Amino acid sequence: MMKKRIAVLASGRGSNFQAVIEAIQQGKIPAVCVALITDNPGAYAIKRAEKAGIPVKVIDYSAFPSREMYERALLLAMQQADADLFVLAGYMRILGTGIVHAFRGKIMNIHPALLPSFTGLHAQQQAINYGVKVSGCTVHFVDESLDCGPIILQRCVAVLEGDDEELLADRILKQEHECLPEAIRLFCEEKLVTDGRNVRIT
Ligand code: GRF
C-alpha cells in the first residue's frame, strides 16, 4: 500500500505530535509526515519537527489583521501540504467552516475527554468538577461543530480521588499517545469507513 501523506497542526508542546513522529519512524504507520503547521511561532512542536526533519510552516495568528485573513493563509498552507490527512494534535483554534468543507473526512482531532462530554478547553478540569469516575480521550473526525465529528477511537481513564487537572491530564495523555497514532494508522491503512456519525473499523 502506498504511504499516505499526513500533515500535523499543533499549537504548543507537541507531545502527541512526537508520538506520531515516533510511530511513523518505527514503521507502525504507513505514512510520511509532510508538514507541521502551527499558529504559534513559539510552539515547542517546531523543535520536534526540526529534529525529525519535517518541514515547518508557521502561520502566526497574531500577525493577521483578522481571523478571516488567518484562515485564508491556513487554507492555502493546507492545500500546499497536499496531505491525505490533517491531524489536529493540540491545535488550539477552531477551524473555520471553509477549511472543514475543503477537507471533509480528512481532518482528525484528539480531545482529552470522552466526547460528547466536556468539549472545549480544560476538559480534564471539567471532568473533575462534574465528578465523573471515568474520563479519557477521543479521536474524531472534524466537522463544523466544536469537538463533535464522528468518533474514531476512545480510551478510558479512571478519575481518582485527589486528582487535580494536571494529574488527570497526565494520565489521559499517556492514552492519547497510543490512541492518536492508532487512529492515524487505521486511516492510512484505509480501514475506516464513515457512515453518518458512525465510523466502522474494517
Ligand atoms: C492534548 O491533551 C490534546 O488532547 C489537546 O491538547 C493537548 C495537547 O498536548 N487537544 P500536546 O501539545 O500534544 O502535548
Side-chain angles (χ1 to χ4, degrees):
M1 187 177 286
M2 283 274 288
K3 283 189 176 175
K4 299 283 191 235
R5 294 169 60 86
I6 70 168
V8 173
L9 280 74
S11 300
R13 176 178 61 179
S15 70
N16 277 289
F17 175 42
Q18 185 67 39
V20 174
I21 292 172
E22 287 169 16
I24 291 173
Q25 286 171 345
Q26 291 160 11
K28 292 180 183 161
I29 303 174
V32 49
C33 185
V34 295
L36 168 73
I37 300 173
T38 183
D39 57 322
N40 172 15
Y44 188 70
I46 294 172
K47 295 208 166 42
R48 300 184 192 270
E50 286 169 351
K51 199 163 168 220
I54 295 166
V56 176
K57 180 83 186 169
V58 179
I59 304 171
D60 183 355
Y61 186 84
S62 63
F64 289 85
S66 68
R67 178 157 187 250
E68 289 67 33
M69 305 271 276
Y70 165 78
E71 286 271 326
R72 215 174 297 161
L74 178 58
L75 176 63
L76 191 65
M78 290 173 76
Q79 284 164 339
Q80 283 167 349
D82 191 24
D84 299 297
L85 175 68
F86 295 91
V87 178
L88 309 187
Y91 176 70
M92 301 310 281
R93 296 188 185 281
I94 297 170
L95 286 182
T97 50
I99 290 178
V100 173
H101 288 163
F103 303 104
R104 185 172 288 286
K106 290 179 160 197
I107 309 175
M108 60 172 71
N109 178 47
I110 179 130
H111 183 74
L114 294 176
L115 293 173
S117 295
F118 313 129
T119 59
L121 294 175
H122 299 290
Q124 303 94 335
Q125 186 64 56
Q126 291 184 54
I128 291 169
N129 293 349
Y130 198 90
V132 294
K133 305 296 184 194
V134 175
S135 190
C137 61
T138 303
V139 183
H140 64 95
F141 285 116
V142 171
D143 69 6
E144 291 78 5
S145 307
L146 177 67
D147 297 328
C148 186
I151 289 171
I152 302 166
L153 290 178
Q154 292 186 303
R155 293 280 180 93
C156 296
V157 162
V159 182
L160 303 178
E161 233 168 86
D163 266 353
D164 59 16
E165 184 173 15
E166 199 183 327
L167 279 170
L168 181 59
D170 281 350
R171 199 173 310 120
I172 293 174
L173 198 60
K174 288 201 181 71
Q175 296 301 316
E176 294 185 41
H177 294 167
E178 292 181 12
C179 200
L180 183 61
E182 174 68 0
I184 297 171
R185 177 183 73 79
L186 292 167
F187 181 95
C188 291
E189 292 178 350
E190 298 181 0
K191 289 189 171 149
L192 299 178
V193 178
T194 305
D195 178 11
R197 276 217 57 85
N198 295 293
V199 180
R200 272 189 299 117
I201 299 171
T202 59

